[in-house]
Structure formats: C-alpha cells, structure tokens
Amino acid sequence: MASILDEYENSQSTRHSAQGHTRLSGSNIGITHSGFVNVRLEEEKPIFNKQRIDFSPPEKINHFAVCNSQLCMSLGKDTLLRIDLGKPDQPNQIELGRKDESRVHKLFLDPTGSHLVICLSTNECLYLNRNTQKVRGLSRWKGHIIESVGWNKLLGTEANTGPILVGTSQGLIFEAEISTSEGSLFNTNPDQYFRQVHALEEDGSPVPVCCLEIERGMESKYFIIATTRKRLFQFVGKVPEGSEQQGFSCIFSQNQELLPSFQEFPVNMGYSEIALYSSKLRSSPKTFAWMMGNGVLYGQLDYVRLDSLLSDVQVWEYTSDIDLTFNKPISIALTQFHFLLLLPDRVKAVCTLNGQVVYEDVFPEKFGPLKRMVKDPIGSLVWIYTERAVFRYHIQRESRDVWQMYMSMNKFDLAKEYCRDRPECMDIVLAKEAEHCFQNKRYLESAKCYALTQNYFEEIALKFIEAKQEEALKEFLLKKLNSLKPSEKTQIALLVTWLVELYLNRLGLLETDYSKAILFQETREEFRHFLSSFKHKECLFNNRSTIYDLLASHGNVDDTVYFAVIMQDYERVISHHCQHDDYGAALEVLSKHCDEKLFYKFSPVLMQNIPKKVVDAWIQMGKKLDAKKLIPALVNYSQIGSTQQINETIRYMEFCVYELTVKEEAIHNYLLSLYAKYKPDSLLWYLEQAGTHSSDIHYDLKYALRLCAEHGHRQACVLVYKIMELYEEAVDLALEVDVDLAKSCADLPEDDEELRKKLWLKIARHVVQEEKDVKKAMNCLSSCNLLKIEDILPFFPDFVTIDHFKEAICSSLEEYNKHIEELKQEMEEATESAKRIREDIQEMRNKYGVVESQEKCASCDFPLLNRPFYLFLCGHMFHYDCLFQEVSPHLSNYKQAKLEELQKKLAVASQPTKGRHRLKEDKAVNLGKSQLSREQIKLDIDDIVAGECVYCGDLIIKSIDKPFIDPQKYEEEKSSWL
C-alpha cells in the first residue's frame, strides 16, 4: 500500500493509434525549399501515456474521486481509503461503521480536495473533511439520492464549502452549505441549510440531475449549467456585490417566469455527463464537452454573451463501434485539445479541433470492465479504475501537433501561437500562410510572411517580379532587411541598394501624376524615413557614393540634399546652396551643425554676400572657431569690400579681443591695422587699455609703431614709445604734440633719477628756447624735484633779468639751509644714542644672581650645584647637560648640525697638548690660542643652547603644535606602557 503511486507496473496494454490524420510536410504546401532539416534524435513520447498503479485493493473498488491531489475511493461495503498524492506512503483508511445493508452510491469531492460527500443507497449522506477522521451525517440531506453536486469554486475554503447546489435523482435542485465547525449546542450537524431552489423535468416527468456546474462571469454574473439524460439547461443571473454568501436562489427566481434555456437531443441512454476545462483551479473554464445519447456536444464557453454561455458548438457523433445497447460510453474527460471517452473496454481520444479519433487504448479483459474515468483539474491527470485495478494517464505536450491542424484549417495565427518554440514548424506555417495569401492576391500580407521564412530569397523575389507587384516586393525586401544580422553586410548592402532603386522608381512615377500628390508625399516620407533609419545607417554611409549615383541618375535633387544631411555630408549640402545662391540656407546649415572646417572653407564666399549674418554666426560659435584661420577671408574683403564688410570685420575682431580675450599676436596686429586705417578714434583707446608693460601686450610693438607712424598718429606713437621704455624718443615726439604729454613721459623712469632729470631738462630747454616762456620753465621746477634753478639757468638768454626767477633762487637757498639743520639734528641724536649704549653695557657687566644651596634643576629636579648650570633672568635654572637635552628636540636641522659640529670642535680643543719637550715660549703661545678657541666655541654653543629659557622663550611657543610623542617612536612608546 505504501508504494501505491511510486512504483508502477510496466505492463502497458496494446494501443491502437488512430490514423485519422497524417503529419503535414513541406511538400504538402507547395514550398520546395526550407532552411530547416527535421532530424529526430529519439522517438517522441506519446501524448497519452498510460501507467497502471501497482496497487491491489483488499476489496472491490466501488467508487473513486480525485481532486487537487487528494484521492478517495470506496472499497467493499463501508471502507473508505484516502491518499494524499503528495505523500503517497501515508494512506488513511476509514471505516464508515454502517451495520445496515447500505452501500456507497457516489462520492463527491470538491475542487480543493477538502470536502467529501458520500451518498449512500439508503437515501442518506455522510460528510468527511480532509483534516478529520470523523465521518458525520448530513441530516438535512436525508431522503434524497444525490446524483450531482455543483461546487462553489469562488467561495469554497478548507473549512466551508460556501453555497453549493445539489441535484437529486428526482430532478430536484437544492442549495446547501457545509461547514466543519461544530455549530451550536443544539445543532452539531455540518450541514448549515438545505433548501430546494428548482426542479427539472423531461417530457413532463422528473428526471435525475446528472451534472451541475457553477461558473462566475463578469460584473457579478453567474452561469449555472445543469444536465439531465438528454437536456442541457442554462441559468444566468446576477448576484449583488457582497451577497454571494446568500446563495443562488435569486438566480433561479429570476428564471421562474421564463422557461429555462436548454438544448435537447432525441436519444436517451439513461444518463449524461459534462466536462469543463480550465488551465487553473479558480480560473473560469474556456471549453466544455457534454456526453449524451446522440454523441458529444463540445465547444467554447463565452461569458460575454447574454443569451447563452455556449458558443462554437459542434456535435461529435459516436462511431459505428459504439453501441448504446451493449457498448455505451461511460464517462468523459476534457483536456485542452481533446476529450477522452471511456467505454467498457477501451478509451478513445478525440481531437476537438477536427473531430478525429487520434488515440485508442484497449484494456485487457483480465482487469474487468472499466467503471469510470475521473480527471484531476489541478494535476491534469486522468484516472480510470476497475474493481481490481487503477490506471493513470499522463498527458504530455498535448499541443505539439495542434499547429498542423490549425494550419490545415487556414487558422495561421493560432498555428503560429502553438509553434513559437519550434522554428522549423513556424517556418512551415509561415510558408503556407504566405502561399495562401499570394493565391488570394493579398500580396502585401504574403510578402510579410515570406520575409520571415527560410525559403530561397531569389525564388520569392522572382515570384513578385513576375506578378508585377513592386509594392509587395518592396515590403518583402524591407522585412527581409530587418531580419538580417549586422554581420551580414553584403546582403544588407544589396537589399538597401535595391530598395533605394525601388523607392526612386516609385517616386518618379508618382511625381508626374498630379492626381496622386498625397500618395507621392507619403511615399517620399516613407523613403526619407528609410534613409534616416538608424539600423541601416552604417550600410548607407559605407555605400553613400552608390546612393548618390542612384539619386543623381533619377535627378532627385531634394532627396539628394536630404540624404547628404542624414549622412552628415554637410559640405555637399552647403555647396549645393551656394551654387544656387541660397547663402542664407548655407549659413543655416553651417550654424546648425557647427563644423569648424566647413566654416573656414565657406566663410570667404559667405562673407562676400552676407557679411553681417556670417559675423553673427561666428560670434555665436565663440571659441569653437580659430579666428586666426578666418583672417584670410577678412583681409581679402576688408581691402576690396564695402564699408559694411569692413565694419563687420572690425566687429568680429573686437569680439575676439574683448569678449573671447584672444591673445594671438596676429589677431591684435590685424585689429590694430584696421583701427589705424578706418577707426583712428579707437586706436588710442585700444593702445591704452591693452596695457603699459611689454609683458601685457599681445601685439607687435615695432609693427604698431611703424603703422602709427605711417598714418601720422603721433600721440599713439608716443604711447608705443612709452611701452617700449624709449623715454627719450617719447619725450622728443611728445614735445611736438603737447608739453603736458611730454611731462607725463618724463616721470615714467622712476628708478633712474639721472634719466628723469635729463628728460625734464629737455622739456625745460624746449619751453625756454622754443616757446620762450619763463613762467612755464619755473613750473617745470615745481613739477620735478630733481631740477634746480642752477640746472636751467644756462638755457636762458643773457638779456633775461633776475626778477623772473628771483623767487626760485630764494626758495633754493632756503631748502639748502633746511637740509643742513636736519643733518645737525641727526648727528646729535646719534651721539646721545651711543652714550646710552655704553652705559647699558657697563650695567650688564655688574649684573648677578644668587643661587641657594637647595636649588634644584628645573628639568631633572636634582641639586643644581652638583654640575655646571645655567641661570636665566626668568628664574629657571638648568644643569648644562639637562638644558642641552631640553633644547635639542626644538632646534632646526641646521642648528642641530651646527651644534654637533661645535661639540666636536670643543672635544678636539679640550685634548691635552702633545710634545712635552717643546720650548716654553711655544707652549705659552699654543696654550693662549687653544684657550681662546675653546672660549669662542663655548660662547657659540651658549648662543644656541642658552640664548633663551627653554620654558619661557620662543622655542616652547613654536612647539605648541608638535605631538608629545614622536610619531616615529609612537609604537615603541606604546609597547613600553603595556
């Protein structure tokens, strides 16, 4: 029992596959060539794969139900076996405990597999929940033999069924609800209520309700399907939002006034069964199949229709081997594309697309007659059982051959839908669709399909050419072009060139026909869109010379210009505009695309015709243009051009100098020449603002001097001389213009008093000798403090009386006297200062400090008098060696090196003199020199070490930002503390 679903017996009975349809091949559809080769590496598994469960029931199997991987079967008289297919090794056997002769009539299991209703032959019903072992009675259901249950897929849960419908053998339809809760003290039954809502009849007499199905549509609309032996009833009605728990009685009450809609067939075989197919548990079914006396009625379920839920219905009539007397169909199951019909000894599978029997499986007689077939809507498994055996069908890749059937029915969209992951099949479908469209003269659709196939390109192209369908050919080429890989450059180039030729031919035909002007514009827009396609940009660029030749051969000037713009061949576009004297358009292209090289090339011709607009464009370009490269065009037209061209040239040069701050000498020289020739008023201002030092000047000073001299701008020449620091020349030339200008030049050499005096003497001589103005000469004396009256007296003529410069002479004498007095005062102050210094030195010699015997070193805290020490005015006292250690870390590298050098010299000088047998005089001389050297070294050391108190002086203040511990010795210091 533990291996009921894990181990299977590999004993599969002989199956007879129906030969109702054959596979379609490429030769059946008229396509002789395809890019795919159909090679199967292994035999394809069948769609319907039967397996017998290795299970031997201890008693006969009476009834069987399975849903949501929950399997329930009735064995013998009162044994119930439950198996969770997720845990097949844990079966659960329950005894019903019935002592009477009642037997199980039917089992009903809800879609969730949680609620099991057991109908007994004694008109009683029992209930069993998946989560319990206790079988409970449904007292309200007593007195009825239940033939069908319509489960509520929307509201059903593991604990509650929600409102459901129950059909009896007497044609009555009840509404009920089952809950697992214990209820109140006085009501412990699981059935909450059980009330009749409708009754069905056939020919005026009650009949069993064979099947019940409840489905919910849109906008709270519910559809209820009920079947009897030969009728299929439909009930349609709305349940108000939020009142679904109140049940379906309102739907039946809405249909009481009218006869319910039903379909009836004449043949009665005593029962019927309906099967629905849905891809998911709670999704609405899409198809149905109803097994009845005349055959199987199957079709689609349309929840939008108002009159009926059923649509596209067909009747599959029973084949000749099905006899309703001895070989009646027992049960039916519906899959996505087939319905399975269970007969007493076999199973037949019929395709719902074409009505053909595609599979037939005969069961051996040793298992006994087949009793029923059940399909699990969740696992898509089909179960069949006899009294002694259980079989299971796996349905694998049911849609594998559906595409062929749709294709044979010319439903190509559906055929392509079911072979998306099989390119070889997709190719066959597309070829068939293309051929079908071509035969029906739907050439554009045919071209689109042909472009997606792997058929020979030349064959298809010739086919459209022979049919004189250029539009279809163009569509085919476009689609084929879009399907090519970027690496297939040769094919892309061929198709692009061919398409350009087709477009140009089409445009040429439409252009002459004025009645098709709109079509011509549309075709041109389409052509231009093709030329501007980013996907083919590389191909068009690489083959642009060919495209230009094609456009030229058709005389298509407008599209040539458009293509040139697309290819960014702006030189060709601008040349075209210039040739047609459309200089504005040429400049617009230049300004839009900002190509510097094209500006340099076309600026001369544009400057000749539209100078103002060209200069505006240059200014808009700003620093992107090199003004130096534009000078040739400017020089050319500034020499022979009109006043407007000259003014625009000056405007651009001023923009470069003042706005862009261009520093190239050529630009400044050219602007200087323009000012000198055409705007002399701006020349002097330019020179003044350009700077007064040669390092700030960006023009050639010599060129500027020559230019100003040629055009007679003497004041400008003076300014240039000043910048060149040729002050004598500047003063000489300035005296020809204005004495005040000469004076401003004479004061420039501030560091050279001799030169300044010389320049002022030149001015004075000019004033006295040339202008003969004594008063101005006296003003020169006041303007320059370097000139004295005696310097300019030689310039005056002999007949000039002293009255004219008497005041100047007196002023000079007074100044001399004042200077002598200042010198005397300075001498007296120096004598007094020397006297004070001598007194301070004498006082310092007699200064001393008192050190007590208990005084300690400020550094080591040991008695001070034990070793040589220093005493500072601040009161701090240090041993010599302690002070040395305190000061050394704060000294600069230079002073530390000098201190080490002095210490070495002191050590050498302190060594005893060798050679004791020398003369006494030599000893005395050497001793004196050595003593002097040692004292000097000690003084030098003292200057470094004891120049100031280490605790109060600048050294300790400057060390405020130094760390207490040297970073290089930090780790060592840190480890010493551990």
Side-chain angles (χ1 to χ4, degrees), residues 26-173:
S27 58
N28 298 116
I29 58 176
I31 302 299
T32 56
H33 303 290
S34 176
F36 292 98
V37 178
N38 189 9
V39 178
R40 294 186 181 178
L41 299 180
E42 59 183 14
E43 184 179 357
E44 200 169 36
K45 293 182 179 180
I47 295 176
F48 304 99
N49 184 19
K50 182 180 76 174
Q51 294 173 329
R52 182 193 169 193
I53 307 302
D54 186 15
F55 167 62
S56 298
E59 298 181 76
K60 292 182 180 180
I61 301 175
N62 298 322
H63 294 279
F64 189 99
V66 62
C67 204
N68 197 19
S69 299
Q70 300 296 317
L71 187 149
C72 301
M73 62 178 75
S74 170
L75 303 177
K77 179 182 177 183
D78 60 353
T79 301
L80 189 67
L81 182 65
R82 294 191 301 181
I83 300 174
D84 185 350
L85 298 182
K87 303 174 183 177
D89 55 344
Q90 301 177 12
N92 179 22
Q93 185 171 323
I94 299 174
E95 300 296 333
L96 298 181
R98 305 289 295 187
K99 296 181 180 180
D100 53 13
E101 295 299 322
S102 64
R103 293 181 175 274
V104 175
H105 175 65
K106 277 188 179 181
L107 297 179
F108 302 99
L109 187 63
D110 80 309
T112 65
S114 302
H115 307 280
L116 177 66
V117 174
I118 307 164
C119 180
L120 303 178
S121 58
T122 56
N123 295 353
E124 295 179 85
C125 290
L126 305 176
Y127 170 72
L128 179 64
N129 189 269
R130 181 172 64 182
N131 299 323
T132 63
Q133 298 287 326
K134 182 180 178 181
V135 179
R136 302 168 67 185
L138 300 175
S139 60
R140 292 185 174 88
W141 297 40
K142 192 173 182 179
H144 302 282
I145 296 180
I146 307 303
E147 295 290 342
S148 59
V149 175
W151 298 102
N152 195 325
K153 301 172 188 176
L154 183 66
L155 300 179
T157 63
E158 291 187 2
N160 193 292
T161 62
I164 60 175
L165 296 177
V166 179
T168 69
S169 59
Q170 297 300 315
L172 302 178
I173 298 177

Side-chain angles (χ1 to χ4, degrees), residues 367-390:
F367 298 119
L370 304 178
K371 297 198 69 176
R372 197 164 185 271
M373 176 170 58
V374 181
K375 180 176 178 291
D376 185 351
I378 305 304
S380 297
L381 298 176
V382 177
W383 300 78
I384 297 175
Y385 69 95
T386 67
E387 291 182 348
R388 294 295 180 184
V390 177

Side-chain angles (χ1 to χ4, degrees), residues 932-957:
L932 180 62
S933 177
R934 289 179 60 194
E935 291 301 325
Q936 184 60 42
I937 293 172
K938 285 184 177 180
L939 289 173
D940 293 341
I941 292 176
D942 288 345
D943 288 340
I944 297 174
V945 175
E948 59 182 357
C949 176
V950 70
Y951 286 173
C952 303
D954 293 339
L955 285 176
I956 197 66
I957 295 174

